[in-house]
Amino acid sequence: MSPNYTLTVCLISVSRSQLLDDVAEMFIKRMLNIHHKAKAALEQYQADHQEHADNLILTLREVVTAYQTEGTIEDSFSKVDAVLGSRCEQVLTDCEAHVSHAGNNYFSFLWPFYKRHRATLFHLIKVVKFHCASADKALEEAFHFLVDNEAKRGDWLSTLSPTNLMAPPKQLDLSWTPPGWWRLVTGQRNREAYPEQLNRRHFEVCLFSQIMSELESADLYVAGNSQYADYRDQLIPLEQYDKEVAAYGEMLGFTQ
């Protein structure tokens, strides 16, 4: 093999690695920017709806005050009814809206900013070909599920995928879904029952957000990459360590 050929191969390999680095970095920066805009949207929402929150607190105070008034239980409920009147449904609606953003949860604001970049993000994440660094492949499988449903436009996706006519449907593993996303993605308050469908938009943004997070934490890696490569490939095999550790220590001036 000629030196020029070897050099060319090395240059191509380095260039490819750099390209994958750039693509992964581009994906992460794009997602971070989307999250930043959603946080700003939540802050604006909270400022615009501060009066609603204040009214809910005032209503709660009036209800508690009415309930604590001396008299029979019937009297207390009568006074609570006088406070709420025909506003029960509206108060519940306002409470649900407030609770959905409790703890500064801005996830429901992500979709409008994400959808502008949807096609680009799908293209980027297909190029980088990420893999799970652990034996848990749930996130990888979820991504393949999403790609298979990329063209869907309905509000919901079924979590059950048929394997063959004789076997029961395979359930999509959702163990990777963060707590703050669960209700948005599944429409359920808790994880006790397995959801039969997923909110397509929230599931999509949730998954891309989790990919971003795990690429940054090295729980996901990109094959052929440099910055986001599998860290295990950079570790020295134990046998090589045993053979060379003494000489390396002497070279550094370490003595036992």
Side-chain angles (χ1 to χ4, degrees):
M1 183 179 296
S2 68
N4 288 340
Y5 180 83
T6 303
L7 180 60
T8 301
V9 171
C10 290
L11 287 174
I12 292 174
S13 177
V14 171
S15 298
R16 180 178 182 275
S17 178
Q18 183 60 55
L19 175 62
L20 290 175
D21 276 345
D22 292 343
V23 171
E25 190 70 24
M26 190 183 306
F27 169 77
I28 290 174
K29 287 183 177 179
R30 189 70 62 93
M31 287 301 303
L32 285 174
N33 185 51
I34 291 169
H35 276 255
H36 176 74
K37 290 181 177 179
K39 290 178 181 178
L42 171 62
E43 293 175 0
Q44 186 61 52
Y45 173 88
Q46 291 173 330
D48 294 341
H49 290 76
Q50 183 61 50
E51 184 177 350
H52 288 282
D54 293 342
N55 288 335
L56 285 176
I57 296 298
L58 291 173
T59 299
L60 176 61
R61 186 185 67 178
E62 292 174 6
V63 168
V64 173
T65 301
Y67 181 76
Q68 289 181 330
T69 303
E70 293 184 3
T72 64
I73 294 179
E74 289 75 11
D75 291 337
S76 296
F77 276 106
S78 177
K79 292 173 182 178
V80 168
D81 184 66
V83 172
L84 294 176
S86 60
R87 296 190 300 140
C88 289
E89 290 300 324
Q90 185 58 51
V91 169
L92 283 175
T93 299
D94 291 344
C95 286
E96 288 293 333
H98 184 77
V99 168
S100 66
H101 306 305
N104 290 325
N105 188 333
Y106 61 89
F107 295 156
S108 62
F109 291 93
L110 284 164
W111 175 260
F113 303 104
Y114 161 84
K115 68 178 181 180
R116 305 170 190 172
H117 307 281
R118 183 177 186 270
T120 300
L121 289 168
F122 262 99
H123 179 68
L124 291 178
I125 208 63
K126 288 175 185 176
V127 170
V128 297
K129 303 290 184 184
F130 71 86
H131 303 278
C132 294
S134 68
D136 186 355
K137 304 299 181 183
L139 191 64
E140 240 181 287
E141 294 172 0
F143 175 69
H144 294 312
F145 169 83
L146 181 61
V147 171
D148 290 341
N149 289 278
E150 180 181 358
K152 296 287 182 62
R153 290 295 179 267
D155 292 333
W156 298 91
L157 297 174
S158 173
T159 56
L160 304 177
S161 57
T163 50
N164 57 59
L165 295 178
M166 301 300 295
K170 179 183 177 181
Q171 291 184 341
L172 180 66
D173 188 346
L174 299 171
S175 59
W176 55 270
T177 310
W181 276 103
W182 184 257
R183 187 176 179 184
L184 288 173
V185 170
T186 66
Q188 299 180 177
R189 293 179 180 274
N190 55 60
R191 296 177 180 250
E192 293 178 1
Y194 183 81
E196 295 184 359
Q197 58 182 7
L198 306 173
N199 183 292
R200 180 181 63 83
R201 294 177 180 83
H202 289 313
F203 172 73
E204 197 167 302
V205 185
C206 172
L207 180 55
F208 275 103
S209 299
Q210 193 66 14
I211 290 173
M212 172 195 69
S213 176
E214 298 204 10
L215 277 175
E216 290 188 304
S217 65
D219 290 323
L220 289 179
Y221 69 90
V222 179
N225 195 287
S226 175
Q227 184 176 353
Y228 300 99
D230 187 353
Y231 71 92
R232 294 170 298 184
D233 293 340
Q234 302 175 16
L235 300 179
I236 300 175
L238 186 59
E239 293 182 359
Q240 182 181 351
Y241 168 82
D242 291 336
K243 291 179 181 178
E244 300 179 4
V245 64
Y248 185 70
E250 291 180 6
M251 182 180 69
L252 295 178
F254 297 150
T255 57
Q256 295 183 349

